[in-house]
Amino acid sequence: QTEWWYYTGNLTAVDGQRFGFELTFFRQAVSRDPQRNATWDVQDLYLAHLALSDLDAGQFLHAERGNRSGPGIAGINEKSERIWNGNWSIQWQGANQNLQAADNGFSLELRLHPEKGPVLNGENGVSQKAEGLGRASHYISFTRLAANGSIQLKGKPYKVSGLAWMDHEFFTQQLEANQIGWDWLGLQLDDKTDLMLYQIRRKDGSIDPFSSGTYVDAQGRSSHLREQEFTLQRLDGSWQSPMTGAIYSIHWKISVPKLGIALEVTTPLKSQEVTGSMKLAPNYWEGAIQLSGTRNAAPLRGVGYLEMTGYDRPIELGQ
């Protein structure tokens, strides 16, 4: 019933200016009635979010759109290897993915090349989110995509390069009624390893034991991490949204003892909340982060993205 493709990344321009970006495509099934097959009948709703973080100038721009497929306005086509919503699109060309998106005042055009193969998160290809059959998703990631291309910001072009991350997740039911949201991190470390961690928060303030993660070594081999094998700890530092009133933690400590990893997460830009006027998708904080710490006492740094949901109101997905 619900499916999404998340693209996020950290980019640096030739002049050293730093950017973060997000381009996300959502598909929400509405009907599978075979009698409703006219061009403008709604089988699926297609939503999309676009965001650009100008990390050095302290500026965050974002946009949203929602469409039905209609006569090709939005969709996903396996044969043509394309995902699109209006003029926002992902086009696969062999192993590469070409990203294009434009809105008032800014645009992105990137070529993404995988430095590692796809990763199946969870166990046996299933990422369990709660107790019970079906409370899970299929969850696939490209954790290290070399990104090259251009950004246009207020009429000024920037040639950029960096690292991107892609998540593809699909499910019908996922969260339980006592689960209100999650904190998710996708981390790309300087030693060529990658780490995905998420914790699901409950209404009583506890962390759900179905929280988990994935570690990807420098050669692309992945391993599953259970909730008890890592910790995500909030440190001093938060930001309150003037739009939603939500208070987000923007300073975190990560510990994965079995990997010898200890990291601190900070962000150069506090205001990276994605809010929507259509209210068809939740409000959430999705932003570029920087990492510093150690692996087995050796210095370790990196970049990534942090997502925090359910801070203004509980998330409801497939309930």
Side-chain angles (χ1 to χ4, degrees):
Q1 186 178 21
T2 304
E3 188 167 15
W4 58 54
W5 293 259
Y6 262 86
Y7 290 83
T8 56
N10 284 267
L11 306 170
T12 304
V14 173
D15 66 0
Q17 190 161 344
R18 298 173 300 159
F19 297 94
F21 81 90
E22 174 198 355
L23 178 60
T24 307
F25 296 91
F26 302 91
R27 180 192 61 81
Q28 184 68 34
V30 175
S31 171
R32 287 297 179 265
D33 184 348
Q35 302 301 314
R36 298 183 61 184
N37 58 5
T39 298
W40 290 105
D41 284 340
V42 179
Q43 297 282 348
D44 298 281
L45 269 178
Y46 294 97
L47 313 174
H49 290 167
L50 171 65
L52 180 67
S53 301
D54 186 342
L55 300 175
D56 293 320
Q59 182 177 202
F60 182 66
L61 303 170
H62 67 93
E64 63 173 343
R65 59 178 50 170
N67 278 305
R68 65 186 77 186
S69 59
I73 297 171
I76 300 104
N77 189 299
E78 183 180 5
K79 186 176 181 180
S80 64
E81 298 183 306
R82 184 170 178 247
I83 308 165
W84 76 99
N85 198 317
N87 64 348
W88 302 357
S89 70
I90 297 291
Q91 177 68 62
W92 289 69
Q93 290 185 333
N96 297 320
Q97 303 172 51
N98 295 327
L99 177 157
Q100 289 185 315
D103 196 72
N104 294 332
F106 70 105
S107 66
L108 306 172
E109 187 169 345
L110 299 172
R111 182 176 177 83
L112 308 178
H113 175 75
E115 296 185 349
K116 300 177 183 178
V119 170
L120 293 177
N121 299 293
E123 297 180 275
N124 300 316
V126 176
S127 178
Q128 194 75 29
K129 301 299 197 300
E131 186 72 44
L133 186 65
R135 296 290 183 180
S137 67
H138 294 288
Y139 182 6
I140 304 155
S141 299
F142 280 91
T143 62
R144 189 165 287 249
L145 294 160
N148 290 277
S150 62
I151 289 172
Q152 291 271 348
L153 177 58
K154 295 183 177 177
K156 182 177 179 179
Y158 297 87
K159 186 177 180 180
V160 295
S161 61
L163 286 175
W165 181 298
M166 187 275 266
D167 275 346
H168 179 204
E169 197 162 3
F170 51 100
F171 55 91
T172 293
Q173 289 184 317
Q174 192 177 43
L175 299 184
E176 289 279 12
N178 69 340
Q179 297 172 322
I180 61 171
W182 61 82
D183 307 307
W184 172 95
L185 298 108
L187 313 178
Q188 296 158 318
L189 303 171
D190 286 351
D191 62 1
K192 306 297 184 183
T193 64
D194 309 307
L195 187 60
M196 183 277 290
L197 301 170
Y198 68 83
Q199 61 180 17
I200 300 173
R201 304 187 315 278
R202 290 170 161 174
K203 286 182 178 178
D204 63 5
S206 65
I207 300 302
D208 197 282
F210 283 97
S211 307
S212 69
T214 303
Y215 172 70
V216 186
D217 70 14
Q219 289 71 45
R221 297 179 295 244
S222 64
S223 55
H224 179 65
L225 296 172
R226 298 179 180 274
E227 183 266 342
Q228 63 267 28
E229 294 179 304
F230 66 90
T231 58
L232 301 177
Q233 178 186 352
R234 295 180 181 85
L235 300 178
D236 291 340
S238 62
W239 174 77
Q240 183 167 18
S241 166
M243 295 291 293
T244 65
I247 299 174
Y248 298 100
S249 298
I250 54 173
H251 187 194
W252 293 77
K253 181 179 180 181
I254 297 171
S255 177
V256 190
K258 67 181 288 185
L259 300 175
I261 290 176
L263 295 168
E264 278 198 32
V265 175
T266 58
T267 179
L269 180 57
K270 296 179 179 180
S271 174
Q272 296 183 86
E273 184 187 42
V274 179
T275 58
S277 61
M278 294 183 290
K279 302 302 180 186
L280 297 172
N283 301 313
Y284 58 99
W285 196 99
E286 181 97 18
I289 54 173
Q290 51 200 18
L291 313 163
S292 63
T294 58
R295 182 201 289 270
N296 299 321
L300 184 63
R301 303 183 70 84
V303 295
Y305 251 71
L306 166 64
E307 178 180 270
M308 296 177 281
T309 73
Y311 282 86
D312 63 327
R313 63 181 188 272
I315 296 290
E316 295 182 358
L317 295 174
Q319 296 186 29

